């Protein structure tokens, strides 16, 4: 395996004199040395009744202090309508909902599922339920009936908050499968119906004062389902204490400052959209921009400009879509307020990091984490020199290592530059506390002090981590271990390539050969000449042993609804194998 090709893209140096505001983390070494989770927790308030509650940290402590009249949520609806909700108003509406839940008999630990688009009630329902100490599980509203019912079944949903249309289309017919579901609250219904309650009636009848009961930091707060990229989604359990990680990563990885306007483009149906689309910005008391519409470049650039977004957190798929349209499309917008741009969810190709410079005048700062880790673990910080293609360095308080399993069942760390499994030393606050109903699978993630992530990576001499691929996706060809990300990145460097996904295809001689699926940018033809050109380009870049032997063109690549390329589906189809769980599949262009 060739070493990470950092030299191909020059390191992006960050000169201190160019910072518009001083980054929260200026000296990485000093910050790591001084860091302790106990100290981070002291920056948060204790709950007056005792313990730690996410919703108190996110809402009430600001509503009771000088930030009360600051806009907590700026909601931008699909038709361009807008609504600003201050911290004081958010405290009142979440109190009403918490009271409503209690009046219906909802108790601590009860499952409250939320199936809504990005409308204000989504945020109120999630935070209100956390105040009532219920376990919140946000579902992506574009899910079909089956994935919704399955998730509510295994999460033992007691309450569902949704809309009339979503309920009729997706839940009603399957309700008998959900015997524990005794309240369905419709946010747009004026009257109660058969088996449904009106949100408006309920919340209007409830008091806007509410005291959160003492909350043990170890009480379960959230149930999140993974993206289903590698198989059936897992239900991941998180506790209230996770808010300490949300706070700390908002400070260091997203560099949130007092007057920021922050926009996380992810839907709260995915962990990113909850940890960073709801919790972290509110815990920092900044203005959180919520955009109801799905991706559309002019809308997005319009929001960045008009709403003066200063910190922006998005994902590689969206960045690749913007790249398809070209940097020139950004130039008509005044993005002078934008100070920091970050990305998560999939490997961010070096090409995309550098494109950020061209289009937005700043690189995209890649960071890495998982549903299981609850918050950002490895990041390119604002003050840090960036090696395009690297995920960055571990957050203060996080110890990451590259390990290999040894013959006596333990793990050993490997030398700099060598490939192995990415492992994290257990013990940060937002670490998952379990996979729901899958105890054995949960236990298998841990070896000694290490949590094993299932991702393969390398760490270079400077302590920068480089993603190689998911352990399941790595290709073994003629004795070489090939990480799909490296091959995909090399293909992406070709000007004709918009997206690429690489799989191992069984081969009697090599064991596996590398096969690439490629979507071209507009204006390029998917013909034989292009295939030859791309094969040649990859061979030149990667060498014959690593370059793909086959290329197949696709208009689009299959992705999860959170925007991740589903290599396992490409592989299953290639091999004529069962397609597996497709509940999170979005685009399905063959
Ligand atoms: P499932 O576990 O159900 O297969 P998933 O792993 O895609 O789905 P998530 O928890 O949403 O579910 O995603 C975490 C994974 O996404 C990581 O383990 C990693 O493989 C990938 N990922 C996230 N951020 C990055 C990044 N910056 N670079 C590379 N990979 C990333
Ligand atoms: Mg995973």
């Amino acid at each position: 395996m060739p070493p990470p090709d950092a030299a191909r893209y020059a390191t992006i140096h960050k000169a201190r004199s160019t910072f518009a505001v001083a980054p929260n983390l200026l000296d990485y070494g000093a910050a790591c040395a001084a860091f302790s989770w106990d100290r981070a927790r002291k920056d948060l308030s204790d709950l007056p009744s005792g313990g730690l509650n996410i919703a108190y940290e996110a809402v009430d402590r600001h509503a009771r202090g000088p930030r009360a009249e600051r806009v907590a949520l700026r909601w931008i609806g699909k038709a361009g309508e807008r609504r600003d909700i201050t911290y004081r108003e958010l405290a009142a509406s979440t109190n009403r909902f918490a009271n409503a839940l209690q009046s219906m008999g909802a108790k601590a630990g009860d499952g409250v599922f939320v199936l809504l688009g990005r409308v204000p009630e989504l945020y109120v329902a999630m935070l209100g339920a956390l105040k009532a100490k219920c376990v919140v599980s946000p579902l992506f509203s574009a899910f079909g009936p089956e994935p919704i019912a399955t998730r509510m079944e295994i999460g033992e949903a007691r309450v569902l908050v949704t809309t009339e249309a979503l309920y009729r289309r997706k839940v009603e017919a399957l309700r008998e499968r959900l015997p524990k579901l005794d309240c369905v609250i419709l946010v747009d219904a004026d009257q109660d119906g058969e088996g449904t309650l009106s949100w408006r009636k309920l919340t209007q009848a409830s008091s806007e004062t509410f005291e959160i009961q003492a909350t043990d930091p170890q009480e379960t707060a959230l149930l999140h389902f993974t993206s289903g990229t590698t198989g059936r989604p897992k239900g991941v359990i998180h506790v209230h204490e996770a808010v300490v990680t949300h706070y700390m990563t908002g400070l260091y990885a997203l560099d949130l400052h007092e007057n920021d306007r922050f926009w996380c483009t992810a839907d709260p149906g995915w962990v990113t959209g909850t940890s960073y689309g709801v919790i972290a910005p509110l815990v920092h008391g900044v203005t959180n921009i919520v955009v109801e519409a799905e991706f559309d470049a002019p809308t997005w650039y319009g929001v960045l400009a008009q709403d003066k977004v200063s910190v922006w957190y998005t994902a590689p798929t969206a960045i690749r879509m913007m790249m398809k349209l070209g940097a020139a499309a950004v130039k008509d917008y005044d993005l002078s307020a934008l100070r920091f741009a970050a990305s998560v969810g999939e490997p961010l190709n070096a090409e995309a990091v550098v494109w950020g410079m061209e289009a937005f005048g700043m690189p995209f700062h890649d960071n890495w984490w998982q549903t299981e880790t609850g918050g950002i673990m490895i990041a390119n910080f604002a003050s840090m020199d960036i090696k395009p293609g690297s995920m960055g360095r571990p957050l203060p308080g996080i110890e990451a290592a590259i390990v290999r399993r040894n013959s006596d069942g333990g793990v050993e760390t490997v030398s700099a530059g060598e490939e192995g499994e990415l492992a994290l030393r257990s013990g940060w606050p937002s670490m998952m506390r379990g996979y729901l109903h899958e105890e054995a699978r949960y236990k298998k993630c841990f070896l000694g002090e290490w949590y094993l992530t299932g991702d393969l990576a390398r760490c270079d001499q400077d302590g920068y981590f480089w993603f190689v691929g998911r352990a399941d996706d790595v290709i073994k060809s003629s004795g070489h271990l090939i990480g799909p990300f490296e091959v995909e990145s090399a293909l992406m460097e070709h000007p004709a390539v918009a997206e690429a996904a690489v799989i191992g295809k069984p081969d009697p001689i090599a064991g596996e050969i590398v096969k690439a699926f490629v979507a071209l940018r507009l204006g390029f033809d998917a013909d034989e000449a292009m295939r030859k050109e791309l094969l040649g380009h990859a061979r030149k870049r990667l060498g014959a042993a690593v370059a793909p032997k086959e290329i197949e063109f696709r208009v689009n690549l299959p992705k999860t609804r959170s925007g991740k390329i589903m290599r396992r589906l490409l592989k299953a189809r290639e091999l004529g194998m069962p397609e597996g769980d497709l509940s999170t599949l979005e685009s399905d262009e063959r």
Side-chain angles (χ1 to χ4, degrees):
M1 173 75 68
D5 194 0
R8 189 166 176 83
Y9 291 91
T11 298
I12 300 166
H13 293 286
K14 303 272 189 71
R16 285 191 179 204
S17 57
T18 61
F19 296 135
V21 292
N24 291 325
L25 197 166
L26 257 179
D27 181 335
Y28 179 72
C32 289
F35 186 83
S36 87
W37 285 110
D38 285 344
R39 215 164 299 141
R41 174 157 177 197
K42 291 207 176 79
D43 286 353
L44 300 175
S45 319
D46 283 338
L47 192 57
S49 53
L52 189 64
N53 184 296
I54 294 174
Y56 184 82
E57 300 306 322
V59 185
D60 288 7
R61 71 181 178 126
H62 305 308
R64 293 173 187 196
R67 294 183 182 128
E69 300 308 324
R70 178 177 295 173
V71 175
L73 295 176
R74 165 160 297 171
W75 177 72
I76 303 167
K78 273 188 188 150
E81 64 275 47
R82 289 163 165 269
R83 207 171 126 193
D84 281 353
I85 301 170
T86 64
Y87 279 95
R88 188 181 48 74
E89 289 165 341
L90 190 60
S93 54
T94 49
N95 284 348
R96 284 182 188 276
F97 186 62
N99 279 318
L101 282 172
Q102 288 193 344
S103 69
M104 294 180 311
K107 297 184 307 300
D110 282 350
V112 174
F113 276 61
V114 186
L115 176 73
L116 287 171
R118 289 180 295 279
V119 293
E121 289 84 354
L122 166 68
Y123 300 81
V124 174
M126 288 178 70
L127 293 160
L130 289 169
K131 286 185 168 182
K133 303 214 297 172
C134 295
V135 177
V136 176
S137 191
L139 293 179
F140 191 48
S141 61
F143 275 151
E146 188 53 45
I148 292 170
T150 312
R151 285 164 178 74
M152 292 213 294
E153 232 170 352
I154 65 174
E156 299 177 11
R158 168 128 198 243
V159 177
L160 171 69
V161 184
T162 186
T163 64
E164 180 93 48
L166 287 169
Y167 178 66
R168 301 286 167 227
R169 280 210 321 269
K170 304 187 178 192
V171 183
E172 195 174 22
L174 298 177
R175 192 158 169 181
E176 73 227 29
R177 265 175 57 187
L178 306 165
K180 298 223 163 104
L181 180 66
D182 53 30
C183 300
V184 173
I185 303 169
L186 304 181
V187 299
D188 52 352
D190 287 326
Q191 296 303 326
D192 297 344
E194 207 173 308
T196 61
L197 298 167
S198 153
W199 164 281
R200 265 172 233 148
K201 275 183 66 184
L202 255 180
T203 51
Q204 275 164 16
S206 303
S207 157
E208 63 175 48
T209 57
F210 182 88
E211 277 306 320
I212 303 173
Q213 288 168 18
T215 308
D216 183 329
Q218 302 308 323
E219 277 179 59
T220 303
L222 292 155
L223 171 66
H224 264 297
F225 291 89
T226 59
S227 290
T229 315
T230 53
R232 199 163 67 82
K234 296 149 277 198
V236 174
I237 297 165
H238 286 294
V239 299
H240 279 275
E241 190 190 32
V243 70
V244 184
T245 308
H246 300 143
Y247 166 74
M248 189 278 271
T249 50
L251 187 73
Y252 286 155
L254 299 176
D255 198 38
L256 291 176
H257 283 67
E258 185 71 24
N259 292 313
D260 272 327
R261 293 186 180 188
F262 173 73
W263 180 26
C264 168
T265 61
D267 189 275
W270 310 110
V271 72
T272 305
T274 294
S275 294
Y276 299 100
V278 186
I279 302 171
L282 296 182
V283 168
H284 279 270
V286 304
T287 294
N288 190 28
I289 310 274
V290 174
V291 179
E292 186 187 15
E294 293 307 324
F295 175 80
D296 160 71
T299 309
W300 276 31
Y301 299 150
V303 170
L304 289 172
Q306 191 183 343
D307 291 286
K308 300 189 169 45
V309 172
S310 51
V311 179
W312 181 33
Y313 195 20
T314 188
T317 334
I319 297 170
R320 289 194 295 261
M321 287 197 277
M322 291 185 274
M323 287 170 76
K324 254 191 197 178
L325 299 171
V330 186
K331 299 297 172 215
D332 300 338
Y333 299 86
D334 173 9
L335 304 184
S336 52
L338 189 63
R339 187 184 89 238
F340 186 73
S343 163
V344 73
E346 274 201 300
L348 185 67
N349 314 81
E351 196 71 17
V353 174
V354 174
W355 185 79
M357 301 284 286
E358 187 192 338
F360 299 101
M362 68 195 71
F364 283 104
H365 294 73
D366 187 21
N367 59 54
W368 177 97
W369 58 293
Q370 309 176 303
T371 311
E372 289 86 341
T373 69
I376 302 169
M377 298 282 110
I378 296 177
N380 286 284
F381 311 106
S383 62
M384 191 172 123
D385 290 345
I386 292 187
K387 301 188 187 189
S390 159
M391 309 190 285
R393 304 174 75 181
L395 268 284
I398 300 299
E399 188 185 337
I402 304 297
V403 303
R404 204 170 282 159
R405 292 167 202 251
N406 58 27
S407 48
D408 37 278
V411 290
E412 56 199 46
T413 50
V414 305
S415 323
E418 271 188 67
E419 185 185 308
E421 187 164 354
L422 176 60
L424 303 168
R425 192 180 292 278
S426 305
W428 65 95
S430 66
M431 178 161 141
M432 70 161 160
R433 298 304 201 265
Y435 284 134
L436 194 66
H437 308 316
E438 292 190 271
E439 185 59 22
R441 190 175 200 176
Y442 171 70
K443 286 221 171 94
K444 258 178 71 184
C445 299
F446 299 91
L447 244 181
E449 298 159 319
W450 296 104
Y451 162 68
L452 300 169
T453 65
D455 283 346
L456 300 184
R458 279 184 290 251
C459 178
D460 69 16
Q461 298 282 1
D462 301 326
Y464 282 62
F465 284 75
W466 300 76
F467 185 77
V468 171
R470 310 233 183 188
D472 296 358
D473 289 339
V474 165
I475 301 160
K476 296 175 196 80
S477 185
S478 306
H480 298 277
L481 275 184
I482 301 171
F485 177 47
E486 183 162 37
V487 181
E488 290 160 8
S489 288
L491 286 166
M492 287 279 296
E493 285 163 17
H494 191 283
V497 177
E499 278 185 325
V502 160
I503 63 162
K505 181 176 168 180
D507 179 83
I509 297 160
E512 281 185 310
I513 58 154
V514 177
K515 170 158 187 177
F517 295 84
V518 169
L520 295 179
R521 289 190 194 218
L522 292 175
F524 291 94
D525 294 327
D527 55 18
E528 209 36 49
M530 177 60 77
R531 188 191 320 277
K532 288 214 177 91
E533 186 173 325
L534 292 181
L535 287 169
H537 162 84
R539 220 168 6 248
K540 215 158 73 208
R541 266 291 278 117
L542 299 163
V546 176
K549 298 275 184 294
E550 284 183 25
I551 288 182
E552 189 174 319
F553 292 113
R554 291 288 169 94
V555 178
N556 279 310
L557 300 175
K559 298 199 189 76
T560 65
R561 293 194 180 281
S562 50
K564 297 169 191 237
I565 297 172
M566 268 186 170
R567 291 174 193 78
R568 71 169 161 100
L569 182 57
L570 288 167
K571 187 160 180 171
R573 286 176 177 168
E574 181 71 32
L575 272 54
M577 305 280 284
E579 295 189 340
D581 184 299
L582 297 186
S583 61
T584 60
L585 176 67
E586 179 162 57
S587 49
D588 194 18
E589 181 80 44
R590 286 186 185 227

